[in-house]
Amino acid sequence: MSGQERHVVVVGAGPAGLAAARAAADAGARVTVLDAADVLGGQYWRHLPDERPAGREHLLHHKWDTYRALSDALRAHPAVTVVPTAQVWSLEQVSSPGLVSSSGRRDGVRLNVLVGEPDAAGRAARTFEPDALVLATGAHDRTLPFPGWQLPGVYSAGAAQALAKGERVAVGRRVVVAGAGPFLLPVASSLLRTGATVLGVHEASRTGSLARGWLDRPWELAGAVGKAGELAGYVGELVRHRVPWRPGEAVVAAHGDGQVEAVTVARLDARWAPVPGTERQVEADAVAVSHGFTPRLELAIAAGCALTASRFVIVDDTQATSVPGVWAAGEITGIGGADAALAEGAVAGAAAAGGDLGAGAAPRAIRSRDRARGFAARIEAAHGIRGGWVRWLRDDTVVCRCEETTYGRVREVVELTGSHETRSVKLTSRAGLGPCQARMCGRTLQDLLDDGGTGVDRRPIVVPVRLGDLAATPTSSTHTASQPQET
Amino acid sequence: MTSRRIPAAADPVRPGPDRPLTIWVDGEPVTGTAGQTIAGVLLGAGRRQWRSTGQSGAPRGVFCGIGVCFDCVVEVNGLRDVRACLRRAQDGDVVAPQGGPFGEPGAGRSDEHDGPEVAR
Ligand SMILES: Cc1cc2nc3c(=O)[nH]c(=O)nc-3n(C[C@H](O)[C@H](O)[C@H](O)COP(=O)(O)OP(=O)(O)OC[C@H]3O[C@@H](n4cnc5c(N)ncnc54)[C@H](O)[C@@H]3O)c2cc1C
Ligand code: FES
């Protein structure tokens, strides 16, 4: 079939989405890229906006040339429309008998989108019913609760990173970086480049699991050598700045009157439980903490895409999901970093456009995708969350930041109701019912309750929508908004 | 001052020259530079808390920095529930700290739906 008339919509303009859009356009499709942000690049290439053009932006990024090449190509391509500030707020499954697409598909999806300044009233309502959809919505970082983590001055590591890169704001003068995973290294690097003193990088995983995760199949690491080189660069920077990197340690509490003034660091055992007697206080005015990433699955779930047991979107070798007409790439399919996201995006875009995966740039993209895949498994093996962390909670530790539900309250509700089902514990304790829709605490609650369901990831309305905007939305979407479909 | 903006002249990344703007917070002027978000202006000026929570009145500012946690919401030019970490500041914006619960009065959060489906 000729790709000409096929309309591919890509949601997300991070590494995965940009690569997908380019590949789809190169394969002959008409392409629309939607991203809620007003600048392209996603999380990895978060940069200063056009109002503050940086002369040496590349100092803050890896593969900045790749970003420039991709975004320039998309802007210049006549078949590509990029729509910034486009928040997809819901996805409906539709069957439109009158609307048989060129691919012969009758069933499809409808994206409901608001275009305009974030959270403004009166944004332009638009809907899209693409022939093919590529989801590249990425991930946000996940922070496990600890006493005092609600104090101003405690940031997710992603926030420290976003503020350093996108605002040139230093979150503090004396900063502690903590959590788990290779992501802590670029965060420490960016903090140093804001002039902050990084007092230490505390990695929860101990050297044993780090060695097992990273060294047991060294040939895979060779495949992801670009990533290894990038990480080695960060390590060198930490050494030059004499920043201690300490495996097997965690920030187990933050202290201060109204804002952070100090943190408690403790050693952890292999299960991430604090070792009694190893606590020490460190004076700091900011903490950047992240224990991994949570994929943004709302749209994939609304489309009906099947998920893995560890809750990533299942894709085949062409990045196709279980739903015909829907492809997925990047961190929603596994936390593999930007190189994996780029390669997956390129494969997904070509496939969604109906392109020949045996020709052009596709075979190379498939090979680098296959090489990058091992990386996600390594990160999980080396840095994955271990259950002992709950030992650093106290009864008065806030678990749900929005509703300020404490760990003690969650335990009380479990005792009173005898329920270990997240949904019912949420309704009684109010944990997870606030405006973030359990993005911050949902998976933590599930871990505390030992409930592995996908319920907490289901958000039929992706972000809160003002009532006025809802009324302005064309067609049946208003109906969906008040009656979330169970998918 | 704990959090702060790196002055353009001292920044190795060399951002374009600062174009100052002023936003009004609780009647006080706070200056930043064009292209910053409201959270960026506030943090850049050393302010890192601007909201108190609905339940205990505890102070909050930025936590996730990318629009996911809703800790940073403020009222901007009379409109509540604007995520300060996403919204670019405009010269003259009037920013009011927001207390109390999230959402339009009367719009109603539906607990049945596991969250604020039509919250505002
Ligand atoms: C704050 C933050 C900073 C990071 N910084 C780094 C770093 O410096 N180095 C590093 O190696 N890794 C970093 N990461 C990890 C990063 O997630 C990946 O390396 C990489 O960005 C993943 O690419 P992606 O294309 O899958 O997703 P992303 O880059 O996350 O892009 C997804 C895009 O989809 C958009 N989107 C999502 N949902 C919707 C919707 N409903 N409607 C419209 N648009 C939507 C988002 O606005 C976003 O731009 C960071 C992660 C976070 C959360
Ligand atoms: S800081 Fe999390 S939404 Fe703004």
Side-chain angles (χ1 to χ4, degrees), chain A residues 11-17 34-37 41-44 86-88 136-141 158-159 161-162 165 183 186 227 230 293 296 299 329-331 337-338 341 462, chain B residues 66:
Chain A
V11 183
L34 305 173
D35 197 296
Q43 307 303 354
Y44 189 70
Q87 173 70 57
V88 182
T137 48
H140 59 78
D141 51 338
Q161 182 74 337
K165 282 186 173 182
F183 179 50
K227 195 75 195 173
E230 180 180 334
F293 289 91
R296 296 191 175 195
L299 299 178
E331 309 255 88
V462 176
Chain B
I66 59 166

Side-chain angles (χ1 to χ4, degrees), chain A residues 241-300:
Chain A
H241 285 87
R242 299 206 162 75
V243 177
W245 180 76
R246 298 187 172 279
E249 289 191 355
V251 165
V252 296
H255 319 276
D257 183 11
Q259 58 177 320
V260 171
E261 290 155 14
V263 297
T264 300
V265 173
R267 292 197 54 76
L268 302 183
D269 67 17
R271 297 287 306 150
W272 287 23
V275 178
T278 64
E279 298 86 356
R280 63 179 194 278
Q281 278 222 5
V282 179
E283 271 178 43
D285 58 25
V287 199
V289 195
S290 151
H291 299 93
F293 289 91
T294 306
R296 296 191 175 195
L297 294 173
E298 297 79 9
L299 299 178

